[in-house]
Amino acid sequence: MLLNHKISFAFYIRSILPQALLIFLFTNAIVLLKLFSSWVLVVPIAVAAILGTCIALLLAFHTNQAYDRWWEARIAWGALVNDSRSLIRQLQVFVANGPDRDELLHAFVERQCAFCFVLGDSLRGQDVTARLQAFLSVADSQRVAQATNIPNALLLVQGLSLRGLYDCQRITDYQLVQLNMTLNNLTDSMGRCERIKKTVFSRTYTFNMQVFIYLFATILPFCLDPVHYLLDVPLVTLLSSAFILIEKSAIQLQDPFENKPTDTPMTTIAQTIEIDLKSMTSYAPLPDKPVAQSYYSL
C-alpha cells in the first residue's frame, strides 16, 4: 500500500517511462515533418478533444472498478483482524482455568498468527515454509505443508483443537458453536481474498483502453500548430502520459495480491494481528511494531 507522506516520484516515472519516451520521439518526428513539409495531414482539434473526453470517461470507470476490488480486499483483511482478536478473546473467556490453560491459548495464538501470515504469502504466490516453521512445531508444520490449501488446513487444525477442548469438557456446546462461527467468518474472509485473486479483470477492456490512448497520442500531434514546437512536443507527451499513468494505476489496483507497492498491506496487517494476539495472552517479549522502510507498506 502506498503511503501518503513517502511516495517516490521515481515510482511513477519508472512505470510510464518507455511509453512516454516513445510518444516524445513520435511527436518530435511529426512536428518536424510538419515544419519542413506541406504534405502532412492536418486533423481538426475537435477530433482529439472528443477522443480525449471518451478516454477520460472510460478511465474513470476503469479506475473505480479497480479500486472497488482493492477496497474489497482491504475490507476482507480488516475482518480478519477483528475475527482473529475475537477468537482469542472468546477462548480466554470460555476456557476454564487449569494448569495448561496458558499453553492452550498460546497454541491457538501461534496457529492464528501462522494462518494470517501464510494466507498473505499464499495470495502472493510465495513460499510459506519459513512462516510455518516460525509458528508451528516441526511435526505440525510438515503435516500442514502437505495440504493443497495451507491456510484452510490451519483453520481445520484450529477447528479440531476446539473439538478437543469440547471433548475434554473445557468448553460447552454453546461456546463451541460461538467459536465455530468465528472460524466460519475467517473462512469467509479467506474465500473473498481467493475470489479476488482468481477472478481476472477483463483483459479485453484493458487492451481497448490502451488502443484508444495510443490512438489519441497519435492523432494529437497532427492537430497542433507546428510553429509552437517548444510547446507542442511536451504538451502531447504530458497529456498522453497522464492517460497512461492513470490506466496503469488502475491495472495495479485491480490486482491487490501481486507483491507490489500498491498491494493490500497483508504482511503489515498480519504483524499487527500477531502483536495484538500475543499482548492479549501475556507473551513476553512482544514483536516490534511494523515500521515502513520505504514509500509503501506490504
Side-chain angles (χ1 to χ4, degrees), residues 201-245:
F201 201 87
S202 177
R203 300 302 179 189
T204 303
Y205 184 87
T206 301
F207 174 77
N208 293 339
M209 191 73 261
Q210 292 173 346
V211 169
F212 292 150
I213 292 175
Y214 287 116
L215 180 61
F216 172 81
T218 303
I219 292 176
L220 190 57
F222 293 96
C223 303
L224 301 177
D225 190 345
V227 175
H228 304 99
Y229 174 81
L230 296 178
L231 178 62
D232 293 349
V233 174
L235 182 62
V236 174
T237 304
L238 288 174
L239 287 176
S240 303
S241 298
F243 283 145
I244 293 172
L245 181 60

Side-chain angles (χ1 to χ4, degrees), residues 142-166:
Q142 291 177 347
R143 183 171 62 255
V144 171
Q146 297 175 357
T148 56
N149 189 323
I150 296 178
N152 188 58
L154 287 167
L155 288 183
L156 176 60
V157 175
Q158 292 283 62
L160 293 175
S161 298
L162 291 176
R163 177 56 189 262
L165 291 177
Y166 175 73

Side-chain angles (χ1 to χ4, degrees), residues 188-199:
D188 289 342
S189 298
M190 177 180 65
R192 294 176 69 180
C193 294
E194 291 173 341
R195 172 172 52 81
I196 295 172
K197 176 70 174 182
K198 295 178 180 179
T199 303

Side-chain angles (χ1 to χ4, degrees), residues 80-274:
L80 284 170
V81 174
N82 298 336
D83 291 329
S84 296
R85 293 167 177 165
S86 296
L87 176 66
I88 301 305
R89 186 185 67 251
Q90 288 172 329
L91 285 168
Q92 285 182 304
V93 174
F94 293 160
V95 176
N97 290 325
D100 61 341
R101 183 175 183 273
D102 289 341
E103 182 180 351
L104 287 173
L105 292 176
H106 287 178
F108 277 99
V109 168
E110 295 289 347
R111 284 191 295 266
Q112 189 60 31
C113 292
F115 165 76
C116 295
F117 280 103
V118 167
L119 177 60
D121 291 344
S122 298
L123 291 170
R124 288 176 175 153
Q126 298 175 329
D127 183 65
V128 301
T129 303
R131 298 292 192 191
L132 293 176
Q133 294 175 349
F135 291 101
L136 305 179
S137 65
V138 176
D140 289 341
S141 63
Q142 291 177 347
R143 183 171 62 255
V144 171
Q146 297 175 357
T148 56
N149 189 323
I150 296 178
N152 188 58
L154 287 167
L155 288 183
L156 176 60
V157 175
Q158 292 283 62
L160 293 175
S161 298
L162 291 176
R163 177 56 189 262
L165 291 177
Y166 175 73
D167 291 340
C168 296
Q169 298 183 348
R170 302 293 295 274
I171 58 175
T172 65
D173 51 357
Y174 175 77
Q175 293 168 345
L176 177 63
V177 171
Q178 293 295 311
L179 289 164
N180 192 56
M181 288 177 60
T182 305
L183 288 183
N184 288 340
N185 292 336
L186 290 167
T187 303
D188 289 342
S189 298
M190 177 180 65
R192 294 176 69 180
C193 294
E194 291 173 341
R195 172 172 52 81
I196 295 172
K197 176 70 174 182
K198 295 178 180 179
T199 303
V200 179
F201 201 87
S202 177
R203 300 302 179 189
T204 303
Y205 184 87
T206 301
F207 174 77
N208 293 339
M209 191 73 261
Q210 292 173 346
V211 169
F212 292 150
I213 292 175
Y214 287 116
L215 180 61
F216 172 81
T218 303
I219 292 176
L220 190 57
F222 293 96
C223 303
L224 301 177
D225 190 345
V227 175
H228 304 99
Y229 174 81
L230 296 178
L231 178 62
D232 293 349
V233 174
L235 182 62
V236 174
T237 304
L238 288 174
L239 287 176
S240 303
S241 298
F243 283 145
I244 293 172
L245 181 60
I246 295 173
E247 192 260 344
K248 284 186 173 291
S249 298
I251 292 175
Q252 291 170 340
L253 284 177
Q254 73 191 25
D255 296 317
F257 306 129
E258 299 299 326
N259 200 31
K260 296 179 180 178
T262 51
D263 265 13
T264 300
M266 297 180 289
T267 303
T268 301
I269 294 174
Q271 291 171 338
T272 300
I273 292 174
E274 180 186 8

Side-chain angles (χ1 to χ4, degrees), residues 6-22:
K6 292 184 179 180
I7 298 178
S8 171
F9 187 70
F11 169 74
Y12 297 106
I13 297 298
R14 285 196 302 267
S15 63
I16 64 170
L17 184 58
Q19 295 86 350
L21 182 59
L22 179 62

